[in-house]
Amino acid sequence: MLNDQQQGRPLSGVPSRGRFFLELLVAFLITKLPFVSVPFKWLESYFHELSHGLATLFTGGVVSHIQLFPNGAGLCFSQGGWPLVIGFSGYFGAALWGLLIFTCATWPKGIRVSFGFLGSAVVLTTLLWARDLLTIAIFISLALLFLLPLKLKFNQFLASSLRMIALMVILNALASPVVLFGLEGQGDAYMLAQNSWIPAWMWVLVWLSTSVMMLFLCWRRVDRQAAKLDSTGV
């Protein structure tokens, strides 16, 4: 069978509907596997804490350092800024990063740029905000996760890998807030409840809803492309 390039059609990084669900299933299964899922839990935690850090900076605060733990937990140490924006940004930001990565993975010419940018971002975060050896080791692992695939020449494989990484980030962002239902007096939801009239459980529901929305937007991009191809008879 001829590929798009051989048939004279422009290459597209948007998967078919069936391939999207296959990649979503694989991403889901990987997040449930012991040991194999650990780096991807670190990845969601990295984007979670990075979002806290960026929200702190954008609202006039200062970030001291970021700390990640082997179990996928993390902390962002900062001063100042707007607590509501900072507290909300963690789970929301992780899901948003997942959507952005998925979108980049559907841009064929930008796939290698995306891997390079994400790997460089982790390296920069390490230089700016990593202080302990364990966090530095985790950051190095995440940087390698993005930078090593650049040695591969198979663009389709890179696109599929980047899409599944994005889906795993969103799935982990969807699963992580659930544990907050059982926590009393700690966590982002509790901090937000302390700084607003909104109870902690409602913040958790908002995060779950936004993560589902990010996943839906990934699907919508795939579905729209498929519908476009169907209408043109390609």
Side-chain angles (χ1 to χ4, degrees):
M1 181 180 294
L2 296 177
N3 60 29
D4 286 347
Q5 191 174 31
Q6 290 171 325
Q7 294 181 28
R9 297 194 299 262
L11 288 172
S12 173
V14 182
S16 65
R17 294 184 181 102
R19 189 177 183 88
F20 172 80
F21 284 114
L22 176 61
E23 291 175 351
L24 181 61
L25 176 61
V26 172
F28 174 78
L29 293 176
I30 291 176
T31 62
K32 300 302 178 183
L33 291 175
F35 304 112
V36 177
S37 64
V38 172
F40 302 103
K41 290 181 180 178
W42 291 343
L43 193 59
E44 188 274 335
S45 183
Y46 166 73
F47 286 122
H48 179 108
E49 302 307 333
L50 178 63
S51 297
H52 279 316
L54 293 176
T56 301
L57 296 177
F58 290 153
T59 57
V62 177
V63 177
S64 169
H65 60 283
I66 289 175
Q67 188 173 10
L68 298 185
F69 302 95
N71 64 355
L75 293 170
C76 178
F77 297 85
S78 61
Q79 292 182 336
W82 190 2
L84 280 176
V85 175
I86 296 170
F88 180 75
S89 66
Y91 293 110
F92 173 77
L96 181 60
W97 275 103
L99 175 62
L100 293 174
I101 295 171
F102 186 89
T103 301
C104 289
T106 61
W107 174 38
K109 294 183 179 179
I111 291 170
R112 290 184 176 275
V113 175
S114 301
F115 271 104
F117 171 78
L118 291 168
S120 299
V122 177
V123 172
L124 181 61
T125 306
T126 306
L127 296 175
L128 292 177
W129 294 326
R131 297 291 182 269
D132 62 286
L133 291 178
L134 179 58
T135 300
I136 292 173
I138 292 175
F139 279 167
I140 290 174
S141 300
L142 296 181
L144 292 175
L145 182 68
F146 288 122
L147 296 177
L148 284 181
L150 291 176
K151 291 185 172 292
L152 301 175
K153 295 182 180 180
F154 302 100
N155 219 42
Q156 188 60 39
F157 175 78
L158 290 180
S160 184
S161 299
L162 193 59
R163 289 194 300 265
M164 285 191 288
I165 287 174
L167 292 172
M168 280 186 275
V169 171
I170 297 175
L171 290 172
N172 281 323
L174 179 60
S176 297
V178 176
V179 301
L180 299 179
F181 281 123
L183 294 179
E184 294 291 339
Q186 55 182 310
D188 291 346
Y190 174 79
M191 187 272 282
L192 288 172
Q194 295 296 103
N195 287 274
S196 69
W197 295 97
I198 303 175
W201 64 269
M202 288 193 66
W203 287 109
V204 175
L205 290 180
V206 170
W207 286 321
L208 293 176
S209 299
T210 55
S211 294
V212 170
M213 178 59 69
M214 300 302 174
L215 195 59
F216 171 76
L217 290 175
C218 291
W219 159 249
R220 188 179 182 186
R221 182 169 179 81
V222 171
D223 188 53
R224 280 186 169 181
Q225 179 69 13
K228 181 179 178 181
L229 293 176
D230 291 341
S231 66
T232 56
V234 177

